[in-house]
Amino acid sequence: MIGRLETYGQWLAQDPAGFAVFMVYLAATVLLSLILHECAHGWAALISGDPTAKMLGRLTLNPLKHLDPVGTACMFLLGFGWAKPVPVNPRNFRNPRRDDFLVSVAGITVNLTLFVICAALSVLGIRIMMGGELYAMNAGNLARKQELYEVMRDLLAYGGAALPAELTAYMAVPWLQYVLRFLVMMQQINLTLAIFNLLPIPPLDGFRLLNNALQGRLRMPRQTYQIIRVAMLVLFLSGWLGRGLSVATDALDSAVTRVFLLI
C-alpha cells in the first residue's frame, strides 16, 4: 500500500492532469464492477425465489447501496477489495443447495464475463487504433504481437491524460484511446475481482462455494469471521496476498490475450 501511495504521490506531482484522468477512469471502473458483482448476487437470489435483496433496495446501480468503505478503499489503495454482501435468505430458495451455489457464483460469473468481453474488445480496438501496418509487421510472430499489445495496454491503463504525441501521430484512429482505456481497466479490475472472490475465505464467494460443496459443514462463530477478516486485511497490507493474486491474474490475462490474438 505504501508503494502504491508513493507512486500516486509522484504521479500527482509530475502530471496532475494525467493523474486526475486516471482516477476518474479508476473510480468509474471500480464502482461499476463492484456494483454489477453485487447486483448479480441479488438477481440470482430473486430468480431462485428469495426477494430479500429486492425488498432492501439492493437491485440498483446506486453505489451508496453497495459500497463497503473499507473494501472500496482497499480497491483503490491495494488493487483488491469488496462491496457490502447482498443479504440472502436461503429459506426462500426453491432448491436450497442448487440455488445457494447459483447465487454464490453469480458475481464471479459476471466479473469473468466482463473480463472476457473487454479483453476481446481491447485486442480488437488496439488493432484498429494502431492500424493494420503495425500488426502486419508482426503477423507471423505471436509473441511479438502479444508484447506489442501488452505495452499498449499498459500505456492506456497507466498513462497520462493522453498517449504521447509521437505515438498518436502513427495511429489510424487516435480517439479510440479514450474508449480503450475504459475497456482495459474494466478488463483488469474484473479479472482481479473474480480471482479475489474465488478465495475460500469468509465472507468471500469462494468460501460460500466451498461450504456448499461440503454441504454446509463449514460453520464458524461470528467472532471467528471477524478475526479472519482482520487477518485478510493484514495479508493485504503486507503485500503477500497481493503478490500471489497478481501472479494468478497475470497468467490468466496473458493466456486469454494470446487466444484472442490468435483469433
Side-chain angles (χ1 to χ4, degrees):
M1 182 180 73
I2 295 175
R4 185 177 288 249
L5 288 175
E6 289 178 347
T7 300
Y8 282 173
Q10 293 171 1
W11 191 355
L12 179 60
Q14 296 170 4
D15 182 16
F19 180 75
V21 169
F22 167 77
M23 291 305 295
V24 168
Y25 273 95
L26 182 62
T29 50
V30 165
L31 294 179
L32 184 58
S33 301
L34 288 173
I35 289 169
L36 291 177
H37 177 101
E38 295 305 325
C39 283
H41 288 308
W43 278 109
L46 182 63
I47 293 170
S48 300
D50 176 32
T52 305
K54 182 179 180 181
M55 292 168 59
L56 294 176
R58 294 297 300 274
L59 300 184
T60 174
L61 296 180
N62 180 358
L64 297 178
K65 294 287 187 178
H66 298 286
L67 299 184
D68 177 284
V70 176
T72 305
C74 286
M75 197 72 204
F76 282 92
L77 298 176
L78 304 174
F80 306 94
W82 58 90
K84 288 189 292 187
V86 166
V88 173
N89 185 354
R91 295 176 184 175
N92 294 326
F93 290 159
R94 300 185 186 91
N95 184 325
R97 187 175 180 187
R98 180 202 65 190
D99 294 342
D100 184 66
F101 170 80
L102 292 176
V103 172
S104 299
V105 81
I108 295 171
T109 301
V110 165
N111 289 136
L112 285 175
T113 301
L114 287 170
F115 159 68
V116 171
I117 291 172
C118 289
L121 291 176
S122 63
V123 168
L124 177 62
I126 289 175
R127 189 185 193 288
I128 294 172
M129 181 180 71
M130 297 304 299
E133 291 183 12
L134 194 59
Y135 273 81
M137 288 165 49
N138 302 286
N141 190 333
L142 179 62
R144 173 63 185 146
K145 206 155 52 168
Q146 183 163 354
E147 181 183 348
L148 171 66
Y149 166 78
E150 290 175 352
V151 168
M152 288 301 304
R153 188 180 62 187
D154 288 343
L155 283 172
L156 288 164
Y158 305 109
L163 293 177
E166 57 268 23
L167 183 59
T168 57
Y170 293 96
M171 289 181 183
V173 191
W175 62 264
L176 262 182
Q177 63 181 291
Y178 304 107
V179 178
L180 285 169
R181 170 171 272 183
F182 174 77
L183 291 173
V184 166
M185 294 182 78
M186 280 289 288
Q187 171 187 343
Q188 295 175 341
I189 286 171
N190 277 280
L191 177 59
T192 298
L193 283 173
I195 293 180
F196 172 63
N197 276 282
L198 278 170
L199 294 176
I201 303 171
L204 300 179
D205 300 331
F207 178 79
R208 292 177 60 185
L209 291 170
L210 178 62
N211 195 29
N212 183 277
L214 297 175
Q215 300 183 15
R217 295 172 187 165
L218 295 176
R219 300 186 181 276
M220 302 180 188
R222 185 177 180 83
Q223 295 83 350
T224 304
Y225 279 89
Q226 296 298 329
I227 292 171
I228 292 175
R229 187 169 182 174
V230 171
M232 184 174 67
L233 191 57
V234 170
L235 285 173
F236 265 136
L237 296 173
S238 69
W240 285 97
L241 187 55
R243 283 192 288 271
L245 289 173
S246 293
V247 171
T249 55
D250 289 346
L252 183 55
D253 192 22
S254 180
V256 171
T257 297
R258 181 172 285 261
V259 169
F260 285 126
L261 286 172
L262 281 169
I263 293 174

